[in-house]
Amino acid sequence: MVMPSLCQTAFTVLRQVEPIIVLEELGSTLFDTALQMVVKDRSANATYPDISREASQQRAMTDFFMTYNLIIRLVPIIPALFLAKLSDRGRRKAPIVVPLIGYVLSRLALLLVVIFRMPVEVMFGAGVVFGLSGGFCAYWPGVMTLASLGSTATDRSKVMMRVELLYGTAGLVGSLVSGHLFQLYSSSLGHGIVLLIVSILLHLLCLIFSIALLQVKQVSNNEPDENCHALSQTSDNAAVVEPPAGINVVNVVLLFLAAILYNFAVGGAIEILGVFVLKEPLSWSATQVGYGNAAGCVIFLTSFLGVILFRRCFSDVMLILIGMLSFASGIYFMSFVTTTCMFYLARSLNLFALIPMPTIRSLLSQQVPASSCGTTLTSLQLALKFAGLAYIPAFTKIYQRTLDWFPGFVFMLSSIFTVLGMIPIRYCFYPASDLYISFSRHH
């Protein structure tokens, strides 16, 4: 009797979205370390007139990642919108399955680049294929939509943070082992082969699970909008758990603006951080890169614990402000980092930096009907992608121009944008946000 019960429990767990989240993030963290080290290796001999060898290497790396990241943010826009529409019409697995195919193909492309010593620019083509599948822009809202629709409004913030917790834990494990796996090599093939093979296998397994096992809760368009609630305008300590008369447009706009500003700050800083640690005086190896990525993943765990601790005393708006303040202080300190020890001290100040985005998504999901959750969350993700089209080249060029006199200037700039992002959040509960525009379900 025990074995059938255990098998049934295991089968039930495998039919949830959580195993897919874990497998995908494990594979992605391995890929991220591999890509970072492959680009470093291919940029070692880069030369530019009038600048030093190290500055030339930094410029070559930042130029590559600028182009690559612009591609994987711009190309998915139309595919992600199409997949979101399919999701809201009842095909909830589409935004998860299709992007996972793109994940597998892009990881395979990097493996071929390493094995056959192909130009690293081949990854630009892989980025296009990845984007046409919807990429992370479609995948993550798809995951969040399933998590959102499977929870009540009062528990939604906690559920979404649990998703972030699983994501971060998987990233932590993957990052810790990624550097060591990168060092394993065959004399005929070189570094990174084992790492990429494991990454591809994890994504294949994830794809199989999403096609064959994933169970999806269907939501009818005629279903009462019991999962959608308005923000409280009478108290800063709780959200009103009652159906809204319509969409609170002002709150939605403020939440979008805060998310875009915060994403601009975080994305711009992290975009440069991966290259920053590879230059002197840090000059990290593959193993240290993995540990540094793991430090970033620890923030998922501390942010989850922060939500559990603070949500008893503070509203969701205050949670967002606490998280933003945590990131602003840590990234400001990062401006002056010159040793590995100082790097980890700076990251320790970011303990609650991941609270804002899932909390903002949770509040947004409470402003719209359940049948529109997928489109709303995907619209936010697309807005963040468009912000990336601005901050990626901006932060890259600023970093290149300040590399000689103040490499950490971009981190100080990121701190300033984070403070600006706190302003619209504070106004979510002001009387002006009582303005509603009601949309009839019949339209």
Side-chain angles (χ1 to χ4, degrees):
M1 293 295 293
V2 176
M3 285 301 296
S5 178
L6 289 175
C7 291
Q8 184 177 4
T9 301
F11 182 73
T12 301
V13 171
L14 291 177
R15 300 199 68 186
Q16 306 303 311
V17 74
E18 285 80 359
I20 292 175
I21 294 171
V22 171
L23 290 172
E24 184 278 326
E25 178 59 7
L26 280 173
S28 291
T29 51
L30 300 183
F31 170 80
D32 291 342
T33 298
L35 181 62
Q36 194 171 346
M37 298 310 299
V38 169
V39 173
K40 178 187 177 182
D41 178 64
R42 300 300 174 85
S43 304
N45 296 322
T47 56
Y48 291 89
D50 302 326
I51 58 176
S52 65
R53 180 177 178 180
E54 182 180 58
S56 295
Q57 183 184 31
Q58 287 282 299
R59 181 172 177 178
M61 292 177 66
T62 51
D63 283 343
F64 169 85
F65 282 114
M66 178 180 68
T67 304
Y68 179 78
N69 287 323
L70 284 173
I71 289 173
I72 64 175
R73 281 167 171 78
L74 179 62
V75 176
I77 292 175
I78 301 302
L81 285 173
F82 175 73
L83 290 172
K85 288 295 184 182
L86 286 180
S87 173
D88 285 336
R89 291 174 181 173
R91 300 181 180 180
R92 298 293 183 187
K93 293 170 69 169
I96 297 177
V97 173
V98 177
L100 285 175
I101 297 174
Y103 274 98
V104 173
L105 295 176
S106 64
R107 279 47 175 164
L108 181 60
L110 184 57
L111 179 62
L112 296 177
V113 166
V114 175
I115 292 177
F116 297 109
R117 302 295 298 176
M118 299 165 65
V120 73
E121 286 76 17
V122 169
M123 292 306 298
F124 295 155
V128 172
V129 174
F130 177 72
L132 290 175
S133 72
F136 190 79
C137 189
Y139 165 79
W140 194 242
V143 167
M144 284 297 190
T145 298
L146 290 187
S148 175
L149 296 180
S151 64
T152 63
T154 53
D155 292 333
R156 190 167 298 159
S157 179
K158 184 187 296 185
V159 168
M160 288 191 171
M161 277 307 303
R162 187 172 69 232
V163 170
E164 297 276 1
L165 174 65
L166 285 172
Y167 186 80
T169 303
L172 173 62
V173 175
S175 296
L176 287 174
V177 303
S178 62
H180 298 285
L181 286 175
F182 185 84
Q183 301 294 341
L184 299 177
Y185 69 101
S186 163
S187 58
S188 60
L189 297 179
H191 293 287
I193 303 298
V194 175
L195 178 64
L196 286 168
I197 289 175
V198 174
S199 176
I200 292 170
L201 291 176
L202 287 170
H203 280 103
L204 279 174
L205 186 60
C206 184
L207 178 61
I208 293 170
F209 276 19
S210 66
I211 294 174
L213 295 177
L214 180 62
Q215 186 178 37
V216 177
K217 175 186 176 182
Q218 300 294 337
V219 177
S220 169
N221 290 336
N222 297 321
E223 180 181 334
D225 299 329
E226 61 186 19
N227 289 331
C228 305
H229 308 277
L231 292 174
S232 170
Q233 287 82 40
T234 59
S235 171
D236 277 1
N237 295 323
V240 175
V241 184
E242 59 183 28
I247 298 176
N248 188 325
V249 175
V250 175
N251 275 341
V252 169
V253 171
L254 289 173
L255 289 169
F256 263 70
L257 180 59
I260 291 170
L261 286 171
Y262 188 59
N263 182 72
F264 192 93
V266 175
I270 300 303
E271 176 76 14
I272 300 301
L273 191 60
V275 178
F276 176 78
V277 298
L278 297 177
K279 64 177 285 294
E280 293 182 353
L282 297 182
S283 301
W284 279 6
S285 65
T287 302
Q288 289 173 313
V289 167
Y291 290 160
N293 292 338
C297 293
V298 169
I299 299 174
F300 284 91
L301 310 182
T302 54
S303 294
F304 178 76
L305 294 176
V307 167
I308 295 177
L309 177 64
F310 295 138
R311 76 194 306 266
R312 299 179 181 180
C313 307
F314 302 112
S315 66
D316 282 346
V317 166
M318 284 303 301
L319 287 178
I320 295 171
L321 293 176
I322 290 171
M324 288 184 170
L325 182 61
S326 173
F327 179 78
S329 59
I331 207 64
Y332 178 81
F333 185 67
M334 189 68 72
S335 304
F336 309 100
V337 164
T338 56
T339 66
T340 298
C341 180
M342 291 178 66
F343 172 88
Y344 287 111
L345 286 175
R347 292 301 268 170
S348 70
L349 295 176
N350 296 149
L351 291 177
F352 308 118
L354 293 180
I355 291 177
M357 291 310 298
T359 308
I360 288 174
R361 288 188 179 99
S362 173
L363 292 181
L364 277 173
S365 71
Q366 297 173 29
Q367 308 300 301
V368 298
S371 60
S372 300
C373 282
T375 301
T376 301
L377 293 177
T378 299
S379 297
L380 174 62
Q381 197 69 26
L382 289 174
L384 301 183
K385 293 293 182 182
F386 277 116
L389 300 182
Y391 72 68
I392 290 174
F395 275 77
T396 298
K397 295 305 179 182
I398 291 172
Y399 176 69
Q400 291 177 350
R401 285 174 171 78
T402 59
L403 185 60
D404 292 331
W405 61 277
F406 189 14
F409 178 77
V410 290
F411 302 133
M412 187 175 295
L413 188 64
S414 174
S415 181
I416 294 173
F417 274 105
T418 302
V419 173
L420 292 177
M422 298 171 69
I423 297 175
I425 284 294
R426 184 60 191 91
Y427 280 92
C428 277
F429 282 109
Y430 269 48
S433 65
D434 286 343
L435 178 63
Y436 280 85
I437 296 181
S438 299
F439 294 92
S440 172
R441 295 187 193 129
H442 300 293
H443 294 290

